[in-house]
Amino acid sequence: MNRWFPLIGLEIHAQLNTKSKLFSNASKKFMATPNSCVARFDASMPGTLPILNRKAVELAVATSYALNCQVALKSSFDRKHYFYADMPQGYQITQQRAPLAKHGFVDYLSESSKMKRVHIHQVQLEQDSGKSLHDEKEGLSLIDLNRAGVGLVEIVTSPDIRSSSDACSFVKEVMKILQYIGSCTCKMEEGEFRVDANVSVSADISVMGTRTEIKNINRFKGIKQAIDYEITRQIKILQEGGKVVNETRGLTNSGETVSMREKESAYDYRFMPDGNLPYLILHTNESIGKAQHKNAINVDEIRSNLPTLPSEYRRRLQNEYPFEKDIIDFMLVS
């Protein structure tokens, strides 16, 4: 009987802790009256242009450094085209091709009390979408654009994770980091912190199988349920001689994953540079004096002002006190 090896990569979407949206001055207040926090740009009114939120960039840079990433002093924005009713523009502004940061890592303590590492492929700034609200009884679909255009950092990992428990431990560590530096409050119940899980299984540990993506998971129980169910489902398909379909799936309330659509390719999204946004230029201590804009951002200053991170507190507690993992984890979130 074959032994199957799961490979799991995550995409974490964290709303940045700003008062306004990424490219407009509209409020991002949670539970506001539907469609009351929508600027003309968010509604894609003709002639409106994006104005980048400086605070969002600063928080994204801090997040990147806290995740041990290399921050690019020059990055760019792309349009990712897809046609959902809750995206009035018909595209999402993101940073697919030249992201803000790359090549990071996060060390975390697994449930077995072993230190493990997940590599961060890239960190990018992007817009959140609005919300579609479906009333099956009345046969209606309603759109709330309050969330449309809210600033996110998307944290894309390499497929370094092997189990659902490790995925949960890693996500908890990332959540602690973002909360410590203040870039995201990480209130999963308010949709501020969501996870997409990319899961594949293979009989050969050196070969990645066909992956599926489970979208918009906003609770830890759901992360574990989605990954475990998907691993079991894919193994069953392969054992029966079938092929896993590269698709996007959703998680039901019962803990099962269901097909939503076949996975789009980069070609389907038709990525193209956003012509309304220039390159995002950042500065160091050496170059800040030559900056031509009064709102220029100094990445060295942001990095030097980072607070002590959970990993450092954990090392101190482990070295000075004989605490168990659960006690240390409790102290880190207190």
PDB file of all heavy atoms in Angstrom, residues 18-29 37-39 42 51-53 56 145-151:
ATOM      1  N   THR A  18      -5.771  50.158   9.431  1.00  0.00           N
ATOM      2  CA  THR A  18      -5.851  51.560   9.048  1.00  0.00           C
ATOM      3  C   THR A  18      -7.279  52.060   9.260  1.00  0.00           C
ATOM      4  O   THR A  18      -8.211  51.274   9.379  1.00  0.00           O
ATOM      5  CB  THR A  18      -5.470  51.753   7.569  1.00  0.00           C
ATOM      6  OG1 THR A  18      -6.351  50.957   6.745  1.00  0.00           O
ATOM      7  CG2 THR A  18      -4.032  51.317   7.319  1.00  0.00           C
ATOM      8  N   LYS A  19      -7.432  53.390   9.259  1.00  0.00           N
ATOM      9  CA  LYS A  19      -8.763  53.960   9.424  1.00  0.00           C
ATOM     10  C   LYS A  19      -9.527  54.017   8.106  1.00  0.00           C
ATOM     11  O   LYS A  19     -10.762  54.028   8.099  1.00  0.00           O
ATOM     12  CB  LYS A  19      -8.659  55.366  10.023  1.00  0.00           C
ATOM     13  CG  LYS A  19      -8.127  55.384  11.454  1.00  0.00           C
ATOM     14  CD  LYS A  19      -8.069  56.808  11.992  1.00  0.00           C
ATOM     15  CE  LYS A  19      -7.556  56.824  13.421  1.00  0.00           C
ATOM     16  NZ  LYS A  19      -7.462  58.211  13.972  1.00  0.00           N
ATOM     17  N   SER A  20      -8.804  54.077   7.001  1.00  0.00           N
ATOM     18  CA  SER A  20      -9.447  54.176   5.686  1.00  0.00           C
ATOM     19  C   SER A  20      -8.938  53.080   4.759  1.00  0.00           C
ATOM     20  O   SER A  20      -8.040  52.304   5.115  1.00  0.00           O
ATOM     21  CB  SER A  20      -9.193  55.560   5.069  1.00  0.00           C
ATOM     22  OG  SER A  20      -7.800  55.812   4.967  1.00  0.00           O
ATOM     23  N   LYS A  21      -9.485  53.029   3.575  1.00  0.00           N
ATOM     24  CA  LYS A  21      -9.190  51.946   2.636  1.00  0.00           C
ATOM     25  C   LYS A  21      -7.849  52.161   1.933  1.00  0.00           C
ATOM     26  O   LYS A  21      -7.167  53.161   2.148  1.00  0.00           O
ATOM     27  CB  LYS A  21     -10.334  51.818   1.629  1.00  0.00           C
ATOM     28  CG  LYS A  21     -11.661  51.433   2.283  1.00  0.00           C
ATOM     29  CD  LYS A  21     -12.759  51.223   1.259  1.00  0.00           C
ATOM     30  CE  LYS A  21     -14.073  50.839   1.942  1.00  0.00           C
ATOM     31  NZ  LYS A  21     -15.151  50.607   0.956  1.00  0.00           N
ATOM     32  N   LEU A  22      -7.478  51.208   1.104  1.00  0.00           N
ATOM     33  CA  LEU A  22      -6.145  51.208   0.512  1.00  0.00           C
ATOM     34  C   LEU A  22      -5.959  52.332  -0.503  1.00  0.00           C
ATOM     35  O   LEU A  22      -4.891  52.941  -0.574  1.00  0.00           O
ATOM     36  CB  LEU A  22      -5.862  49.855  -0.155  1.00  0.00           C
ATOM     37  CG  LEU A  22      -4.461  49.641  -0.710  1.00  0.00           C
ATOM     38  CD1 LEU A  22      -3.399  49.814   0.384  1.00  0.00           C
ATOM     39  CD2 LEU A  22      -4.325  48.252  -1.339  1.00  0.00           C
ATOM     40  N   PHE A  23      -7.001  52.607  -1.293  1.00  0.00           N
ATOM     41  CA  PHE A  23      -6.866  53.618  -2.343  1.00  0.00           C
ATOM     42  C   PHE A  23      -7.925  54.720  -2.277  1.00  0.00           C
ATOM     43  O   PHE A  23      -8.099  55.463  -3.232  1.00  0.00           O
ATOM     44  CB  PHE A  23      -6.917  52.953  -3.726  1.00  0.00           C
ATOM     45  CG  PHE A  23      -5.763  52.030  -3.987  1.00  0.00           C
ATOM     46  CD1 PHE A  23      -5.967  50.658  -4.081  1.00  0.00           C
ATOM     47  CD2 PHE A  23      -4.471  52.508  -4.135  1.00  0.00           C
ATOM     48  CE1 PHE A  23      -4.910  49.788  -4.324  1.00  0.00           C
ATOM     49  CE2 PHE A  23      -3.410  51.648  -4.373  1.00  0.00           C
ATOM     50  CZ  PHE A  23      -3.629  50.291  -4.470  1.00  0.00           C
ATOM     51  N   SER A  24      -8.657  54.799  -1.183  1.00  0.00           N
ATOM     52  CA  SER A  24      -9.652  55.858  -1.023  1.00  0.00           C
ATOM     53  C   SER A  24      -9.714  56.255   0.449  1.00  0.00           C
ATOM     54  O   SER A  24      -9.167  55.565   1.315  1.00  0.00           O
ATOM     55  CB  SER A  24     -11.030  55.398  -1.506  1.00  0.00           C
ATOM     56  OG  SER A  24     -11.682  54.604  -0.518  1.00  0.00           O
ATOM     57  N   ASN A  25     -10.408  57.364   0.723  1.00  0.00           N
ATOM     58  CA  ASN A  25     -10.521  57.835   2.108  1.00  0.00           C
ATOM     59  C   ASN A  25     -11.774  57.326   2.795  1.00  0.00           C
ATOM     60  O   ASN A  25     -12.132  57.796   3.879  1.00  0.00           O
ATOM     61  CB  ASN A  25     -10.484  59.369   2.155  1.00  0.00           C
ATOM     62  CG  ASN A  25     -11.644  60.006   1.403  1.00  0.00           C
ATOM     63  OD1 ASN A  25     -12.472  59.298   0.818  1.00  0.00           O
ATOM     64  ND2 ASN A  25     -11.715  61.325   1.412  1.00  0.00           N
ATOM     65  N   ALA A  26     -12.463  56.349   2.203  1.00  0.00           N
ATOM     66  CA  ALA A  26     -13.659  55.782   2.824  1.00  0.00           C
ATOM     67  C   ALA A  26     -13.287  55.016   4.081  1.00  0.00           C
ATOM     68  O   ALA A  26     -12.242  54.369   4.156  1.00  0.00           O
ATOM     69  CB  ALA A  26     -14.382  54.865   1.841  1.00  0.00           C
ATOM     70  N   SER A  27     -14.160  55.070   5.078  1.00  0.00           N
ATOM     71  CA  SER A  27     -13.941  54.354   6.338  1.00  0.00           C
ATOM     72  C   SER A  27     -14.016  52.844   6.110  1.00  0.00           C
ATOM     73  O   SER A  27     -14.667  52.367   5.182  1.00  0.00           O
ATOM     74  CB  SER A  27     -15.006  54.776   7.353  1.00  0.00           C
ATOM     75  OG  SER A  27     -14.989  53.939   8.484  1.00  0.00           O
ATOM     76  N   LYS A  28     -13.333  52.084   6.982  1.00  0.00           N
ATOM     77  CA  LYS A  28     -13.411  50.627   6.933  1.00  0.00           C
ATOM     78  C   LYS A  28     -14.054  50.070   8.199  1.00  0.00           C
ATOM     79  O   LYS A  28     -13.739  48.970   8.651  1.00  0.00           O
ATOM     80  CB  LYS A  28     -12.028  50.003   6.720  1.00  0.00           C
ATOM     81  CG  LYS A  28     -11.006  50.401   7.766  1.00  0.00           C
ATOM     82  CD  LYS A  28      -9.655  49.783   7.482  1.00  0.00           C
ATOM     83  CE  LYS A  28      -9.590  48.308   7.775  1.00  0.00           C
ATOM     84  NZ  LYS A  28      -9.598  48.017   9.232  1.00  0.00           N
ATOM     85  N   LYS A  29     -14.990  50.810   8.757  1.00  0.00           N
ATOM     86  CA  LYS A  29     -15.640  50.436  10.001  1.00  0.00           C
ATOM     87  C   LYS A  29     -16.447  49.158   9.836  1.00  0.00           C
ATOM     88  O   LYS A  29     -17.263  49.027   8.920  1.00  0.00           O
ATOM     89  CB  LYS A  29     -16.553  51.570  10.472  1.00  0.00           C
ATOM     90  CG  LYS A  29     -17.234  51.305  11.807  1.00  0.00           C
ATOM     91  CD  LYS A  29     -18.111  52.482  12.200  1.00  0.00           C
ATOM     92  CE  LYS A  29     -18.831  52.211  13.525  1.00  0.00           C
ATOM     93  NZ  LYS A  29     -19.719  53.326  13.905  1.00  0.00           N
ATOM     94  N   CYS A  37     -19.940  52.967   3.551  1.00  0.00           N
ATOM     95  CA  CYS A  37     -18.503  53.268   3.573  1.00  0.00           C
ATOM     96  C   CYS A  37     -17.918  53.025   2.183  1.00  0.00           C
ATOM     97  O   CYS A  37     -17.026  52.186   1.995  1.00  0.00           O
ATOM     98  CB  CYS A  37     -17.786  52.405   4.613  1.00  0.00           C
ATOM     99  SG  CYS A  37     -18.387  52.620   6.293  1.00  0.00           S
ATOM    100  N   VAL A  38     -18.444  53.734   1.220  1.00  0.00           N
ATOM    101  CA  VAL A  38     -18.073  53.508  -0.181  1.00  0.00           C
ATOM    102  C   VAL A  38     -17.755  54.844  -0.838  1.00  0.00           C
ATOM    103  O   VAL A  38     -18.637  55.694  -0.993  1.00  0.00           O
ATOM    104  CB  VAL A  38     -19.201  52.804  -0.965  1.00  0.00           C
ATOM    105  CG1 VAL A  38     -18.733  52.473  -2.378  1.00  0.00           C
ATOM    106  CG2 VAL A  38     -19.659  51.546  -0.245  1.00  0.00           C
ATOM    107  N   ALA A  39     -16.488  55.054  -1.188  1.00  0.00           N
ATOM    108  CA  ALA A  39     -16.097  56.237  -1.934  1.00  0.00           C
ATOM    109  C   ALA A  39     -16.388  56.012  -3.420  1.00  0.00           C
ATOM    110  O   ALA A  39     -16.652  54.895  -3.860  1.00  0.00           O
ATOM    111  CB  ALA A  39     -14.619  56.525  -1.716  1.00  0.00           C
ATOM    112  N   ASP A  42     -14.210  53.355  -4.890  1.00  0.00           N
ATOM    113  CA  ASP A  42     -14.590  51.994  -4.513  1.00  0.00           C
ATOM    114  C   ASP A  42     -15.729  51.473  -5.370  1.00  0.00           C
ATOM    115  O   ASP A  42     -15.835  50.268  -5.616  1.00  0.00           O
ATOM    116  CB  ASP A  42     -15.012  51.946  -3.038  1.00  0.00           C
ATOM    117  CG  ASP A  42     -13.959  52.518  -2.107  1.00  0.00           C
ATOM    118  OD1 ASP A  42     -12.763  52.289  -2.371  1.00  0.00           O
ATOM    119  OD2 ASP A  42     -14.334  53.188  -1.131  1.00  0.00           O
ATOM    120  N   ILE A  51      -5.573  56.670  -4.729  1.00  0.00           N
ATOM    121  CA  ILE A  51      -4.561  57.394  -3.954  1.00  0.00           C
ATOM    122  C   ILE A  51      -4.093  56.445  -2.861  1.00  0.00           C
ATOM    123  O   ILE A  51      -4.856  56.077  -1.969  1.00  0.00           O
ATOM    124  CB  ILE A  51      -5.134  58.686  -3.345  1.00  0.00           C
ATOM    125  CG1 ILE A  51      -5.641  59.610  -4.450  1.00  0.00           C
ATOM    126  CG2 ILE A  51      -4.071  59.386  -2.504  1.00  0.00           C
ATOM    127  CD1 ILE A  51      -6.323  60.857  -3.932  1.00  0.00           C
ATOM    128  N   LEU A  52      -2.841  56.049  -2.915  1.00  0.00           N
ATOM    129  CA  LEU A  52      -2.314  55.012  -2.036  1.00  0.00           C
ATOM    130  C   LEU A  52      -2.241  55.492  -0.584  1.00  0.00           C
ATOM    131  O   LEU A  52      -1.761  56.593  -0.299  1.00  0.00           O
ATOM    132  CB  LEU A  52      -0.931  54.575  -2.518  1.00  0.00           C
ATOM    133  CG  LEU A  52      -0.238  53.451  -1.743  1.00  0.00           C
ATOM    134  CD1 LEU A  52      -1.079  52.186  -1.736  1.00  0.00           C
ATOM    135  CD2 LEU A  52       1.136  53.164  -2.359  1.00  0.00           C
ATOM    136  N   ASN A  53      -2.705  54.642   0.328  1.00  0.00           N
ATOM    137  CA  ASN A  53      -2.718  54.919   1.756  1.00  0.00           C
ATOM    138  C   ASN A  53      -1.319  54.695   2.330  1.00  0.00           C
ATOM    139  O   ASN A  53      -0.829  53.569   2.371  1.00  0.00           O
ATOM    140  CB  ASN A  53      -3.741  53.990   2.426  1.00  0.00           C
ATOM    141  CG  ASN A  53      -3.959  54.290   3.889  1.00  0.00           C
ATOM    142  OD1 ASN A  53      -3.041  54.653   4.598  1.00  0.00           O
ATOM    143  ND2 ASN A  53      -5.189  54.098   4.352  1.00  0.00           N
ATOM    144  N   ALA A  56      -1.001  52.194   5.230  1.00  0.00           N
ATOM    145  CA  ALA A  56      -1.088  50.798   4.802  1.00  0.00           C
ATOM    146  C   ALA A  56       0.266  50.293   4.325  1.00  0.00           C
ATOM    147  O   ALA A  56       0.660  49.153   4.623  1.00  0.00           O
ATOM    148  CB  ALA A  56      -2.127  50.653   3.689  1.00  0.00           C
ATOM    149  N   LEU A 145     -20.714  46.887  -0.430  1.00  0.00           N
ATOM    150  CA  LEU A 145     -19.384  47.297  -0.873  1.00  0.00           C
ATOM    151  C   LEU A 145     -18.561  47.946   0.238  1.00  0.00           C
ATOM    152  O   LEU A 145     -17.509  48.524  -0.045  1.00  0.00           O
ATOM    153  CB  LEU A 145     -19.499  48.264  -2.063  1.00  0.00           C
ATOM    154  CG  LEU A 145     -20.094  47.682  -3.342  1.00  0.00           C
ATOM    155  CD1 LEU A 145     -20.156  48.751  -4.428  1.00  0.00           C
ATOM    156  CD2 LEU A 145     -19.297  46.483  -3.836  1.00  0.00           C
ATOM    157  N   ASN A 146     -19.014  47.865   1.486  1.00  0.00           N
ATOM    158  CA  ASN A 146     -18.239  48.475   2.572  1.00  0.00           C
ATOM    159  C   ASN A 146     -16.831  47.909   2.663  1.00  0.00           C
ATOM    160  O   ASN A 146     -15.885  48.626   3.009  1.00  0.00           O
ATOM    161  CB  ASN A 146     -18.954  48.274   3.908  1.00  0.00           C
ATOM    162  CG  ASN A 146     -20.100  49.254   4.104  1.00  0.00           C
ATOM    163  OD1 ASN A 146     -20.289  50.176   3.316  1.00  0.00           O
ATOM    164  ND2 ASN A 146     -20.879  49.053   5.152  1.00  0.00           N
ATOM    165  N   ARG A 147     -16.673  46.627   2.382  1.00  0.00           N
ATOM    166  CA  ARG A 147     -15.349  45.994   2.484  1.00  0.00           C
ATOM    167  C   ARG A 147     -14.532  46.157   1.202  1.00  0.00           C
ATOM    168  O   ARG A 147     -13.308  45.940   1.214  1.00  0.00           O
ATOM    169  CB  ARG A 147     -15.519  44.510   2.816  1.00  0.00           C
ATOM    170  CG  ARG A 147     -14.257  43.843   3.357  1.00  0.00           C
ATOM    171  CD  ARG A 147     -14.526  42.401   3.738  1.00  0.00           C
ATOM    172  NE  ARG A 147     -14.753  41.575   2.549  1.00  0.00           N
ATOM    173  CZ  ARG A 147     -15.054  40.286   2.571  1.00  0.00           C
ATOM    174  NH1 ARG A 147     -15.183  39.673   3.730  1.00  0.00           N
ATOM    175  NH2 ARG A 147     -15.245  39.599   1.455  1.00  0.00           N
ATOM    176  N   ALA A 148     -15.167  46.524   0.108  1.00  0.00           N
ATOM    177  CA  ALA A 148     -14.471  46.633  -1.173  1.00  0.00           C
ATOM    178  C   ALA A 148     -13.402  47.722  -1.112  1.00  0.00           C
ATOM    179  O   ALA A 148     -13.690  48.875  -0.802  1.00  0.00           O
ATOM    180  CB  ALA A 148     -15.468  46.945  -2.292  1.00  0.00           C
ATOM    181  N   GLY A 149     -12.166  47.336  -1.376  1.00  0.00           N
ATOM    182  CA  GLY A 149     -11.073  48.296  -1.372  1.00  0.00           C
ATOM    183  C   GLY A 149     -10.328  48.406  -0.065  1.00  0.00           C
ATOM    184  O   GLY A 149      -9.351  49.166   0.031  1.00  0.00           O
ATOM    185  N   VAL A 150     -10.752  47.674   0.969  1.00  0.00           N
ATOM    186  CA  VAL A 150     -10.005  47.666   2.227  1.00  0.00           C
ATOM    187  C   VAL A 150      -8.619  47.058   1.978  1.00  0.00           C
ATOM    188  O   VAL A 150      -8.471  46.088   1.233  1.00  0.00           O
ATOM    189  CB  VAL A 150     -10.771  46.870   3.306  1.00  0.00           C
ATOM    190  CG1 VAL A 150      -9.889  46.621   4.531  1.00  0.00           C
ATOM    191  CG2 VAL A 150     -12.035  47.613   3.715  1.00  0.00           C
ATOM    192  N   GLY A 151      -7.600  47.627   2.587  1.00  0.00           N
ATOM    193  CA  GLY A 151      -6.237  47.175   2.348  1.00  0.00           C
ATOM    194  C   GLY A 151      -5.915  45.854   3.025  1.00  0.00           C
ATOM    195  O   GLY A 151      -6.232  45.648   4.204  1.00  0.00           O
TER     196      GLY A 151
END
